[in-house]
Amino acid sequence: MTRATDVPTVTLSDGVAVPQVGLGVWQVPDADAAAAVRTAIAAGYRSIDTAAAYNNEGGVGDGLRSSGVPRAELFVTTKLWNSEQGFDAAAEAFDESLGRLGLDYVDLYLIHWPAPALDRYVDTWRAFIALRAEGLVRSIGVSNFQPAHLRRLVEETGVAPTVNQVELHPRFQQAELRAVHAELGVATEAWSPLGQGRSLGDPTLVAVAARHGVSAAQVVLRWHLQLGTIVIPKSVTPARIEENIDLFGFELDDADMAAIAGLESGTRLGPHPDEFSMT
Ligand code: NAD
């Protein structure tokens, strides 16, 4: 059984500490979200990753409130959808997210995609800076930002995101982007950290898993933790929710890490951020 205190935290550039393992709830129906969140919190999770676009902020809020864990011990992330980008629209959309969640602040608020064709992410970022100044958000970050998008925010506002949440798994390891994050002081958060479960049968992962007496999913998540990445694996199955945070009884050695590094194939599961501006 994993205790919340077993899970390390990553300290962001603004001093805010994020649990390195959280629950992702993309594609979890609103009606199922509360149960998944309660199961996760009982299994030792303290961090939940949702988004306005997931249409389950209401269920997530119910799960948080009924978990029995004080708000101050929980870490809640939500995201602003593309159609709400812009200074005024972002502030309004944030209020709506807060209302659906039933919270009076959010721990981490992310711009979901840069949506470069809209060219509104800098104004959106100025709204995020204001939300943080008002104390409504503890930490502000982005998702799916490419190096040029990150650099533009810094050049035009002087404020770097604390986090960039990006597609990252053994088949798409984002080495170049991670180097830019290190340069700018941005923490890396992996979405689809398990590659949506599609390559867990890979023989390399299966062999490493057998050697440590754990599952391939646990090997992949442990690889992320040892890289310093924050992970938010998604599951609604209680046994998998527990398995995905039970990562602290084994350690990958250099040979394991090198074998997993060799699985890079340059293939994304999601859209390319330069080309995705869906509203
Ligand atoms: P994931 O890599 O977390 O994979 C989840 C899938 O893997 C599950 O649906 C299940 O089929 C399988 N799985 C989970 N645990 C398993 C286990 N222990 N053993 C075997 N199979 C297992 O994929 P995801 O849901 O795409 O990503 C995780 C979270 O990242 C999302 O829920 C969401 O919160 C976030 N996300 C963000 C963005 C973004 O644009 N910011 C995009 C996609 C996802």
Side-chain angles (χ1 to χ4, degrees), residues 26 49 54 143-144 165 191-192 194 196 232 234 243-244:
W26 179 41
D49 180 85
Y54 301 169
S143 179
N144 299 302
Q165 183 187 112
W191 64 252
S192 297
L194 296 170
Q196 296 174 357
I232 45 170
K234 177 254 172 182
E243 176 184 328
N244 292 345

Side-chain angles (χ1 to χ4, degrees), residues 22-28 48-51 54 79 81 110-113 142-144 165-169 190-198 200 215-218 221 231-237 239-241 243-244 269-271 276:
L23 180 76
V25 295
W26 179 41
Q27 294 176 321
V28 177
I48 309 291
D49 180 85
T50 184
Y54 301 169
K79 314 186 192 82
W81 187 242
L110 305 179
I111 303 180
H112 206 145
W113 291 85
V142 296
S143 179
N144 299 302
Q165 183 187 112
V166 295
E167 178 174 349
L168 205 175
H169 43 79
W191 64 252
S192 297
L194 296 170
Q196 296 174 357
R198 293 188 208 177
L200 295 176
S215 70
Q218 289 171 311
L221 294 170
V231 290
I232 45 170
K234 177 254 172 182
S235 181
V236 291
T237 309
R240 283 179 170 177
I241 289 175
E243 176 184 328
N244 292 345
L269 297 168
F276 184 75

Side-chain angles (χ1 to χ4, degrees), residues 211-234:
R211 216 167 29 252
H212 291 280
V214 297
S215 70
Q218 289 171 311
V219 166
V220 170
L221 294 170
R222 182 73 208 186
W223 168 80
H224 282 285
L225 297 187
Q226 290 184 211
L227 287 182
T229 308
I230 300 162
V231 290
I232 45 170
K234 177 254 172 182

